Amino acid sequence: MFSTTASSIKRKLLSIVIFSTIGCIAVPASAAVTHIVENGILMGADNVDVDGTKYDVRFVDGLYSDLFPATHLFLFDETSATSASRSLLNTVFLDLSIGNFMSRPDLTNGCYLPHACWMDTPLSRRDVLGVDTLRVIGTVNSIHPAFLDFYIYDLVRHDVLDYRAFDAMTWAVWSPSTVAAIPEPSTYAMMLAGFGLMGFMIRRRKTNEQA
């Protein structure tokens, strides 16, 4: 009776380990946001989570028509764009050991004023009373907490809009993330432990059958 109960317990433990190991393999830990910094200036970030999808973003000063050609794919609608802006404020514009990107907005590429920086993400183009209009969401990083926010608005004559002429404005250029999900060391340890226990139980059962 005791031997049968012990075998049942072992089988249950083995099942738990197997399912835990499979779960670790199927759902690896996601890589964290990686800040892209050059000479102390924040150029962008990789692996930014927007509603469960990872994106890379670059902050680029320049002419709209140079950065966003006519074939440019608009990645966000107004709902997902607000999520993208929240992600910028919550996970990218932070005070870190590599730079105080929250309290020093001028450390973001294209921004040169110490109190605020405005990043525009294009959302769509549409015709408004015969005028080609660009809809954008602007994310504001500011040393004043009351101004940390985002706004959706329209730009006319966006094709000739050059943000190099504005000290507190830059473009946010998004693309699907190229950073792969990487299992954490603890995940590897659990996987190895699971495979080891599986091997031990199989070997033990074969030994018992031969006896």
Side-chain angles (χ1 to χ4, degrees):
M1 179 67 179
F2 176 78
S3 176
T4 303
T5 303
S7 298
S8 177
I9 293 174
K10 288 179 180 179
R11 284 196 297 271
K12 290 180 179 179
L13 288 174
L14 179 59
S15 298
I16 292 172
V17 172
I18 291 173
F19 283 116
S20 298
T21 303
I22 292 174
C24 291
I25 296 173
V27 187
S30 297
V33 171
T34 301
H35 290 72
I36 309 302
V37 181
E38 296 180 5
N39 299 319
I41 300 299
L42 181 65
M43 307 301 293
D46 288 344
N47 215 44
V48 179
D49 187 284
V50 180
D51 292 335
T53 301
K54 304 294 184 175
Y55 293 92
D56 299 339
V57 62
R58 294 295 181 268
F59 306 120
V60 186
D61 225 6
L63 186 66
Y64 172 84
S65 57
D66 289 341
L67 301 175
F68 304 98
T71 56
H72 171 70
L73 176 64
F74 295 101
L75 295 178
F76 304 128
D77 57 19
E78 294 186 11
T79 299
S80 58
T82 59
S83 296
S85 289
R86 287 193 187 96
S87 294
L88 287 179
L89 294 174
N90 294 333
T91 66
V92 176
F93 297 121
L94 305 174
D95 285 346
L96 306 168
S97 59
I98 55 176
N100 294 327
F101 305 121
M102 179 176 65
S103 56
R104 288 285 307 277
D106 58 321
L107 293 182
T108 298
N109 188 51
C111 295
Y112 307 100
L113 297 182
H115 59 276
C117 179
W118 192 295
M119 282 69 55
D120 277 350
T121 298
L123 301 183
S124 63
R125 292 176 66 172
R126 58 192 186 130
D127 183 276
V128 180
L129 300 177
V131 179
D132 184 19
T133 303
L134 177 71
R135 173 150 285 199
V136 303
I137 183 166
T139 305
V140 184
N141 180 31
S142 174
I143 61 173
H144 304 292
F147 295 108
L148 289 169
D149 210 340
F150 42 86
Y151 308 90
I152 293 176
Y153 60 101
D154 293 327
L155 292 173
V156 179
R157 298 297 306 279
H158 57 274
D159 55 323
V160 295
L161 192 58
D162 193 340
Y163 276 6
R164 287 171 294 189
F166 302 93
D167 289 343
M169 301 186 76
T170 191
W171 295 104
V173 183
W174 297 80
S175 61
S177 181
T178 58
V179 179
I182 303 172
E184 296 178 348
S186 60
T187 302
Y188 283 121
M190 185 175 292
M191 290 167 57
L192 291 174
F195 288 132
L197 182 56
M198 288 167 60
F200 171 77
M201 294 298 291
I202 292 172
R203 187 169 62 252
R204 178 75 175 272
R205 186 173 62 182
K206 287 183 177 179
T207 302
N208 292 337
E209 291 175 351
Q210 292 173 355

